[in-house]
Amino acid sequence: MSILMQYVDRFHEILDKHADQRTTNWFMMSSPFPTLFICLSYVYGVKVLGPKLMENRKPFQLKNVLIVYNLFQMVFSAWLFYEIGMSGWLTGDYSLRCQPVDYSDRPQVLRMVHACWWYYFSKFTEFMDTIFFVLRKKNDHVSILHVIHHGCMPMSVWFGVKFTPGGHSTFFGLLNTFVHIVMYTYYLLAAMGPKLQPYLWWKKYLTVFQMIQFVAVMIHAFQLLFIDCNYPKAFVWWIGLHATMFFFLFNEFYQQSYQQKKKRKQQTITNGMKKDHQQNHQTNGMTNGSTGNSSGRRDAADYYVKGDSLAASELNLRKSYTTTE
């Protein structure tokens, strides 16, 4: 045990040697292990412990809680976007091409450092997205993408606050907080009930919006590999590869959630039209007027109830806007 602690102490000495001295003694910044422990606990809790505890329980009804939570997240994201923007990106003081880290104690610089620190904590509050899914027994929402995205972000941002709180990589925080303003606005409206569902047709475009964000981050980060800029190359790779990984994960989610569903709907409509044609052909060929028409109406009624026709498909599609959450 003592040997292990020696290695841990040595590891902390190496970190502190290269760390930004302004944030070294801030809460949660002295060591990466508390953040790592929280992230691992989150993964275990939402994938194993939580579903097991909820297995024989009814799902919680959390409408009001979700409204308050999403409102808080929307306001928190808006504040972070404002702070990161006014610390450099929206004032013209930061360059999109190359922005080294300013390690001075100027008020505007320290404003960015504090914004980075609070952005780090925002990654923990986002854990509640998943916890609410588990409490409502929507375990199908707790996908691998969802858990990876939320589970690794605090650890990733910790290194940024520890070593480079400011500069080029904060562009990711600027874009990410803006995306979250839009995202939590959608979740807030969705939590208010089915009356607003018809106006939330733009849900799938949130995923597209997030993928555009990752492409922008990739371009912005990897450009430093081809120009001379006083910014750590390790963090260029760190941010760029994170954006690349998330882009492919979100793209896979988009393909599975929307493109494949679209193909299945088109196939259902096509099959329904074929069956409708066959049914009409059989009905028109009957010679016994009373018996034939009665049988035809009964079969047609069964046919539409099953939802195989184009009309039923359209009806179900309309219903989905008011029944889906």
Side-chain angles (χ1 to χ4, degrees):
M1 187 66 178
S2 61
I3 296 177
L4 177 62
M5 292 306 299
Q6 289 178 7
Y7 279 111
V8 171
D9 292 339
R10 178 58 180 163
F11 175 68
H12 285 150
E13 289 177 5
I14 295 174
L15 289 180
D16 292 339
K17 181 180 179 180
H18 301 282
D20 185 339
Q21 298 304 310
R22 297 171 301 181
T23 62
T24 296
N25 296 321
W26 288 9
F27 181 63
M28 295 287 286
M29 287 293 107
S30 60
S31 172
F33 293 116
T35 300
L36 179 61
F37 175 77
I38 294 173
C39 291
L40 293 176
S41 299
Y42 158 79
V43 173
Y44 177 76
V46 300
K47 294 298 290 184
V48 180
L49 182 61
K52 185 176 181 180
L53 292 176
M54 291 297 299
E55 186 176 7
N56 298 317
R57 289 180 171 85
K58 292 183 179 180
F60 286 91
Q61 301 300 318
L62 302 171
K63 179 180 178 180
N64 293 332
V65 175
L66 288 173
I67 290 175
V68 173
Y69 168 72
N70 289 310
L71 178 62
F72 167 78
Q73 288 291 79
M74 183 186 70
V75 173
F76 193 19
S77 297
W79 178 75
L80 287 170
F81 175 79
Y82 177 79
E83 287 298 303
I84 295 173
M86 297 309 294
S87 298
W89 291 110
L90 300 182
T91 61
D93 295 324
Y94 267 35
S95 170
L96 287 171
R97 187 157 179 80
C98 171
Q99 185 58 50
V101 180
D102 188 341
Y103 291 100
S104 71
D105 291 327
R106 292 190 300 113
Q108 187 175 5
V109 174
L110 292 178
R111 185 178 185 178
M112 176 63 85
V113 177
H114 281 89
C116 293
W117 187 56
W118 281 110
Y119 178 72
Y120 159 74
F121 284 111
S122 75
K123 301 298 112 180
F124 289 117
T125 62
E126 291 168 13
F127 283 176
M128 294 305 300
D129 290 6
T130 326
I131 293 172
F132 287 139
F133 283 148
V134 174
L135 293 177
R136 296 161 67 203
K137 299 188 76 169
K138 294 183 177 290
N139 295 328
D140 56 320
H141 288 36
V142 188
S143 62
I144 297 298
L145 163 65
H146 187 92
V147 176
I148 291 176
H149 178 61
H150 286 284
C152 74
M153 280 303 293
M155 198 72 257
S156 176
V157 178
W158 183 90
F159 284 101
V161 181
K162 181 72 172 180
F163 298 101
T164 58
H168 203 78
S169 61
T170 56
F171 181 72
F172 175 73
L174 182 76
L175 290 185
N176 189 238
T177 51
F178 181 73
V179 169
H180 281 194
I181 294 171
V182 179
M183 184 180 74
Y184 283 109
T185 298
Y186 170 85
Y187 291 152
L188 174 63
L189 296 175
M192 289 181 176
K195 291 183 178 180
L196 295 178
Q197 294 300 317
Y199 306 102
L200 299 178
W201 50 266
W202 44 279
K203 177 182 179 181
K204 69 177 183 179
Y205 297 107
L206 285 176
T207 306
V208 176
F209 194 27
Q210 288 174 308
M211 288 192 292
I212 293 173
Q213 166 200 201
F214 296 132
V215 172
V217 171
M218 280 188 280
I219 295 173
H220 183 258
F222 285 141
Q223 68 173 324
L224 297 191
L225 298 177
F226 306 100
I227 62 176
D228 185 21
C229 182
N230 184 23
Y231 189 83
K233 288 294 190 290
F235 280 92
V236 172
W237 285 105
W238 183 260
I239 297 296
L241 290 177
H242 264 73
T244 303
M245 176 185 69
F246 286 136
F247 172 80
F248 283 108
L249 287 173
F250 273 77
N251 182 61
E252 182 181 359
F253 168 79
Y254 180 82
Q255 296 295 330
Q256 292 177 351
S257 299
Y258 301 111
Q259 295 300 100
Q260 292 182 11
K261 285 182 180 180
K262 183 178 179 181
K263 291 180 180 178
R264 287 196 294 269
K265 286 181 180 179
Q266 290 176 343
Q267 185 64 37
T268 301
I269 292 173
T270 302
N271 293 338
M273 293 176 67
K274 290 181 179 179
K275 291 180 180 179
D276 193 28
H277 175 74
Q278 294 174 355
Q279 187 68 39
N280 288 336
H281 180 74
Q282 293 174 357
T283 303
N284 293 336
M286 292 180 179
T287 56
N288 188 328
S290 60
T291 304
N293 289 339
S294 176
S295 175
R297 284 193 296 270
R298 184 176 66 252
D299 290 344
D302 293 340
Y303 181 59
Y304 282 105
V305 168
K306 291 176 182 177
D308 291 330
S309 70
L310 177 60
S313 297
E314 292 177 346
L315 180 60
N316 288 336
L317 185 60
R318 294 192 191 99
K319 287 182 178 180
S320 67
Y321 282 107
T322 59
T323 57
T324 56
E325 183 175 5

